[in-house]
Amino acid sequence: MARFQENDLPKSKITASSLQKAILIFKYADNHKWKFYVGLVFLLLTSVTALAFPKFMGMLVDCVNKKDAHLANEIALGLGLVLLLQSLFSFFRLSLFVNFTENTLANVRLALYTNLVKLPMSFFSQKRVGELNSRISNDITQIQDTLTTTIAEFLRQFILIIGSFAMLASINIKLTIMMVSVVPLVGVAAVIFGRFIRKYSKKVQDQVAESQVVVEETMQGISIVKAFANEWYEITRYREKIKEVVKMAIKGGQFRGFFASFIIICLFGTIVAVVWYGVQLSIAGEITVGQLFTFILYSSYVGASSGGIAELYAQMQKAIGATERVFELLDETPEKINSNEHISINKIKGDVTFNNVAFSYPSRKEVKVLKDINFSASFGQKIAIVGPSGMGKSTIASLLLRFYDIESGEILIDGKNIYDYDLENLRGNMSIVPQDVILFGGTIKENIAYGKPEATDEEIILAAKQANAYVFIEGFPEKFETVVGERGVKLSGGQRQRIAIARALLKNPSILILDEATSSLDSESEKLVQEALEILMEGRTSIIIAHRLSTIRSADQILVLDNGKISEQGTHQELINLENGLYKNLSNLQFSNS
Ligand code: ADP
């Protein structure tokens, strides 16, 4: 429910240093910068033509007194030309700004994404990914609006206000002073009042949403409501919420009523006052009727622009905040990964050693998940890690993949510290078949080829056959081209696992990490998965995170993890003979249950 609304974006103060930082966004414009500058020139031109408009209109009106129809024609033609120019300038200004912005933002988006996917796991384990996603998209939208319109509008309004004042002063100083003392004030007041009303109606909407939550909750848990005969309770709860909505909405209506009265009295009142004073001056012969007309038009520019500029300032504050957050993400240090398409992997053998490894998660430093882990696995062995859930079995796998940095001790592969390996090479030699296999939206073929993007069709088919996946894949009408994932076919847990096994087979890693599925598959599916796994494990070092003991009897070594340490270590036969051993207990428990 906690979706970010654009209105909720936090603002940042506009200071010299925050502006300087925000301007760094222009770095991403590459060779598109000129478009922004030329756009600015067109912006200046549109503002100048906008300023010419009232002047010509006044001259046109003055033709009445002069009874000069010919001059009126010429001025009207001139006005037509002004409008034509203005529309032309506006067109170029807008197209150029949009072109500049889209190109720049495409670069920003790509840079953000590139950095994001390369950030270490410690970053993702501390951030809520969904939130991050919606934040980024809102921040980018804010920057987009600002670059295309807000900056331009701000400058335009600014030029209009200054220009209008200059023109007003040139017509009549007394009238200008009179206007200055009221119009901008009313303009700003109207905006502030308007913003207050908008905020208030958002509150009312939130209240309505809250009352909707009551309905949703009740409907979802209707059987509970009925079982407890608590209909009256829910009705009371809803009635209270509704009452609050009505109270707030009525108050909101009154505010809107006030606003309407305010506009009528102040805004129109001001117009009456300025016109009245202008007419007085006109009667006294100080200004012509045309000048009065021009004056009123410029005054309306000032009123509208001073109101608009306050709103635009708030927009820019939000944009600065958005830019700061985008840069924060861009400044996060990524893992050392080249993003080249083809990397050559130096095959490692696959001897794994953990020496006195201790570790706690960066987000929960105080909890030592692993205290002192020691074991070694030589090439080709199957090592199973067992132990109660939450003891750190998956953590050991994450450390081997170098998702996190260990605190002390060392992890060696082929006798070399894993932190001395090139990260891509290290992970390139490993494969993981996770508990809950996530397939990417795309075809089955693409999903298998994820393990080796350049694989040929024959290799993919062979991998599918070895993974016991070929038969079910061929059973789909579109076979390997069947789309899976969110918008495609739903595969069963066992089928997804076999796809993951095919993916791992294709990659042909030296070290394999198997995170056994916790939810049990049906026995037929289980048999197929188990067969496929046996094939997969051949000729490599396998680390099996075991949730069920039945599947690991043949393991070369079983490590029993308890309280951050390995408490027992040996083959199934050795461990089962340990009196009062944890493994023996676990094993008794599991087999008596099944
Ligand atoms: P197992 O695989 O044995 O069930 P895990 O290795 O998943 O256990 O977890 C070990 C401990 O570390 C648990 O207490 C878990 O809550 C904690 N943990 C796991 N992942 C994270 C993480 N990303 N951040 C913080 N704590 C974590």
Side-chain angles (χ1 to χ4, degrees), residues 33-298:
K33 259 187 219 137
W34 68 270
K35 291 174 187 162
F36 186 77
Y37 297 127
V38 177
L40 279 183
V41 173
F42 279 111
L43 176 76
L44 194 73
L45 291 174
T46 41
S47 312
V48 170
T49 43
L51 280 172
F53 183 74
K55 179 83 188 158
F56 280 111
M57 286 297 276
M59 286 161 66
L60 187 60
V61 170
D62 269 341
C63 291
V64 178
N65 263 350
K66 293 182 191 155
K67 301 216 169 6
D68 190 341
H70 182 67
L71 184 63
N73 288 346
E74 278 179 2
I75 295 173
L77 264 179
L79 265 170
L81 191 67
V82 166
L83 290 182
L84 193 72
L85 282 178
Q86 197 175 0
S87 65
L88 217 66
F89 295 153
S90 295
F91 170 80
F92 284 118
R93 167 185 71 124
L94 211 68
S95 330
L96 280 168
F97 278 148
V98 168
N99 189 311
F100 160 81
T101 305
E102 290 308 320
N103 279 308
T104 309
L105 282 190
N107 291 340
V108 172
R109 281 195 177 103
L110 189 62
L112 255 183
Y113 184 75
T114 308
N115 205 46
L116 203 59
V117 285
K118 287 189 190 176
L119 289 182
M121 285 301 285
S122 51
F123 173 86
F124 293 100
S125 68
Q126 288 173 61
K127 294 271 186 312
R128 297 235 306 275
V129 174
E131 190 177 303
L132 202 65
N133 205 358
S134 83
R135 267 306 268 280
I136 294 175
S137 75
N138 275 330
D139 284 341
I140 294 272
T141 311
Q142 184 67 48
I143 298 175
Q144 186 171 30
D145 290 348
T146 304
L147 287 182
T148 41
T149 37
T150 316
I151 294 180
E153 275 304 305
F154 189 82
L155 288 175
R156 203 173 69 95
Q157 312 271 23
F158 189 71
I159 298 172
L160 279 186
I161 292 179
I162 302 291
S164 297
F165 270 128
M167 300 302 274
L168 286 169
S170 77
I171 295 171
N172 188 288
I173 274 291
K174 274 193 265 172
L175 195 51
T176 308
I177 292 171
M178 140 92 186
M179 199 274 312
V180 167
S181 52
V182 282
V183 173
L185 272 183
V186 173
V188 172
V191 167
I192 292 174
F193 204 164
R195 208 186 292 163
F196 168 77
I197 286 183
R198 241 184 306 157
K199 267 204 189 134
Y200 197 86
S201 39
K202 191 166 170 282
K203 266 198 218 157
V204 177
Q205 277 170 10
D206 288 348
Q207 279 280 345
V208 173
E210 258 181 54
S211 71
Q212 216 43 46
V213 170
V214 175
V215 177
E216 260 172 47
E217 278 176 4
T218 320
M219 293 301 131
Q220 271 165 8
I222 192 74
S223 57
I224 308 271
V225 175
K226 292 206 171 293
F228 280 85
N230 261 356
E231 283 88 346
W232 63 271
Y233 178 82
E234 296 299 334
I235 293 169
T236 317
R237 208 152 74 101
Y238 189 60
R239 188 186 290 128
E240 290 305 316
K241 282 274 171 238
I242 293 270
K243 257 198 220 157
E244 279 169 44
V245 171
V246 170
K247 220 165 89 187
M248 284 196 78
I250 290 178
K251 212 157 167 209
Q254 283 170 353
F255 285 138
R256 276 170 41 207
F258 281 138
F259 187 62
S261 315
F262 164 82
I263 291 288
I264 291 167
I265 299 219
C266 288
L267 217 57
F268 290 94
T270 320
I271 296 171
V272 171
V274 172
V275 174
W276 165 80
Y277 190 58
V279 168
Q280 296 292 338
L281 289 177
S282 189
I283 290 171
E286 286 193 35
I287 54 172
T288 66
V289 176
Q291 280 175 324
L292 177 61
F293 194 74
T294 302
F295 195 94
I296 292 167
L297 284 180
Y298 280 128

